[in-house]
Amino acid sequence: MGEKKEFLYFFENLRGVAILMVMLSHITVIYEHDSIWQNLCRYLFGDVSSLFVFVSGYLFLYTTERKGYDYLPYLHKKAGYILYPYLLLSAVAIGYGIVTDKNLDYGLAPLQYGIWSLIVGGALIVPLWYIPMIWLVFLISPLLRYASRSSFFGPIVVVALFVSLMTARPLSNLNPFLSVFHFLGFYLMGMYFAQNGPLIQWAKSKVIPISVGLLIAYLLMYFWWFNTETFNHGFWDQLFHLNVLQLSKLIFVWLMYFIFAAYLNHPYKPMSHIAQISFGLFFVHGFWLYLFGIVLGRMPVENIIGRLAIQLLFCFVFSYISILIARKVLGKRSRYVVGC
């Protein structure tokens, strides 16, 4: 059993911000028109999943060091509020996909489509790509813990980050194995930060020059990204070519970490609440966004402000209300249905 450590309020706040940014990144209306605003949104929210992955890696090592780690009980616990909701909600999505002949888009028979959809995650409800990927990370967690206790963990993190920066997401996020390779560097970096508590104290003492330097670098990198951006053809086409957007996310993660560690290490109830239901929001918001697409297809809204308002309503308000209803009706069993 690991020694008891102080609760890190700053990281709970960061966790809440991370899920909100992931949800915002799926608001498609903000990307509709070619403009400075669209480019800024693509730069800010593109690959923002890296922040969510970093948070996951940090929490993995921090919690297992505090509460102990036993592989099979760990997987059983993760299955309870990640795998079970995924299987249940995926069954709904797969059933709808088969009824509406989505399987024909991929040239698959219904059974093939069902199996393939479970493996890749995001065939219909796009955000679900994350679950097969993170489950693969859970499966190799003994190796990750072993690596974290090695004297070579620092170099291992650097190599993994190099891979993250020299690749791109697989096409349409439909290959969880390649997604692991692309994002593992950020997961390991989260573990490294959790392992090195003195970084927090160092950040607090140097937070102004660190934050200013990182912010300037992040802003300047926008122009580099804007002038060098190419269409993402997937993991293999990006291989051995610097992913400038992902490099900007590395700087962004550092910036967020140091600012939150220095200034936001205190309880903040709204953000704590969002952090506690983060996986629930993650699971359901994709369904609401898909429903938004159906509604918009049948009742077009020409005004972009109107479309944005409606999509925000579906993504945030309806997702939150559905989580509250699920928790009210199901009680503690809601975690097996919606993840929280």
Side-chain angles (χ1 to χ4, degrees):
M1 182 70 69
E3 63 177 292
K4 186 176 181 180
K5 298 183 180 180
E6 178 187 359
F7 187 80
L8 300 181
Y9 290 106
F10 86 91
F11 215 81
E12 184 172 68
N13 294 331
L14 182 59
R15 182 183 173 192
V17 169
I19 185 59
L20 292 178
M21 291 196 68
V22 168
M23 294 170 71
L24 275 170
S25 73
H26 298 145
I27 300 296
T28 56
V29 175
I30 63 178
Y31 309 115
E32 285 185 2
H33 296 284
D34 189 13
S35 63
I36 294 177
W37 169 253
Q38 183 210 53
N39 289 326
L40 288 173
C41 288
R42 289 170 60 211
Y43 181 68
L44 177 60
F45 295 118
D47 257 347
V48 78
S49 299
S50 299
L51 176 60
F52 202 60
V53 173
F54 169 80
V55 168
S56 298
Y58 191 105
L59 290 175
F60 165 67
L61 192 66
Y62 182 76
T63 56
T64 54
E65 287 296 315
R66 292 178 68 206
K67 300 179 180 179
Y69 172 82
D70 194 353
Y71 183 54
L72 292 181
Y74 171 78
L75 286 184
H76 182 265
K77 181 179 179 181
K78 290 296 183 182
Y81 58 88
I82 294 180
L83 189 59
Y84 295 166
Y86 171 72
L87 294 174
L88 177 62
L89 296 173
S90 292
V92 175
I94 291 169
Y96 176 82
I98 292 174
V99 169
T100 55
D101 294 326
K102 297 295 182 183
N103 56 296
L104 300 180
D105 294 341
Y106 301 97
L108 298 174
L111 180 59
Q112 293 173 320
Y113 174 77
I115 296 172
W116 174 75
S117 295
L118 285 176
I119 293 173
V120 302
L124 186 67
I125 307 301
V126 175
L128 292 183
W129 70 266
Y130 184 84
I131 305 303
M133 185 275 289
I134 202 64
W135 188 255
L136 290 176
V137 174
F138 295 157
L139 290 177
I140 63 172
S141 57
L143 294 177
L144 303 184
R145 275 182 58 85
Y146 179 79
S148 71
R149 298 182 175 186
S150 164
S151 58
F152 297 102
F153 187 47
I156 290 172
V157 174
V158 171
V159 171
L161 280 173
F162 177 79
V163 174
S164 293
L165 297 179
M166 301 299 285
T167 58
R169 294 165 176 253
L171 284 173
S172 302
N173 299 305
L174 294 180
N175 189 319
F177 300 96
L178 294 183
S179 292
V180 169
F181 280 104
H182 178 58
F183 286 105
L184 187 61
F186 283 81
Y187 192 89
L188 292 176
M189 184 174 70
M191 292 175 59
Y192 185 83
F193 274 49
Q195 185 184 66
N196 291 270
L199 275 174
I200 298 175
Q201 298 304 321
W202 182 74
K204 288 180 178 178
S205 65
K206 306 287 185 180
V207 66
I208 294 179
I210 290 175
S211 300
V212 170
L214 290 173
L215 180 60
I216 291 174
Y218 182 70
L219 294 175
L220 290 177
M221 194 162 290
Y222 167 79
F223 299 99
W224 184 12
W225 167 80
F226 181 77
N227 289 302
T228 61
E229 183 199 14
T230 56
F231 181 75
N232 176 19
H233 292 285
F235 182 93
W236 296 111
D237 286 343
Q238 184 71 45
L239 188 61
F240 301 128
H241 297 85
L242 179 63
N243 186 334
V244 179
L245 184 62
Q246 189 73 317
L247 178 59
S248 76
K249 285 301 169 292
L250 179 63
I251 294 174
F252 180 76
V253 169
W254 290 344
L255 178 63
M256 295 287 283
Y257 175 86
F258 290 130
I259 289 177
F260 274 66
Y263 297 115
L264 295 170
N265 192 24
H266 53 79
Y268 184 52
K269 287 186 178 180
M271 205 54 64
S272 175
H273 178 60
I274 292 172
Q276 291 169 9
I277 64 172
S278 60
F279 258 106
L281 291 171
F282 178 85
F283 274 119
V284 303
H285 85 279
F287 286 87
W288 283 111
L289 287 174
Y290 189 83
L291 184 59
F292 164 79
I294 295 175
V295 171
L296 196 66
R298 296 182 178 181
M299 295 183 296
V301 178
E302 298 299 330
N303 184 274
I304 188 172
I305 302 300
R307 288 199 304 277
L308 177 61
I310 295 172
Q311 193 171 30
L312 288 171
L313 178 71
F314 272 70
C315 184
F316 288 93
V317 179
F318 290 173
S319 294
Y320 180 68
I321 291 175
S322 61
I323 292 298
L324 294 184
I325 293 173
R327 298 182 83 182
K328 182 69 173 179
V329 173
L330 300 173
K332 293 182 179 180
R333 292 188 295 273
S334 66
R335 68 167 44 199
Y336 301 114
V337 179
V338 294
C340 66

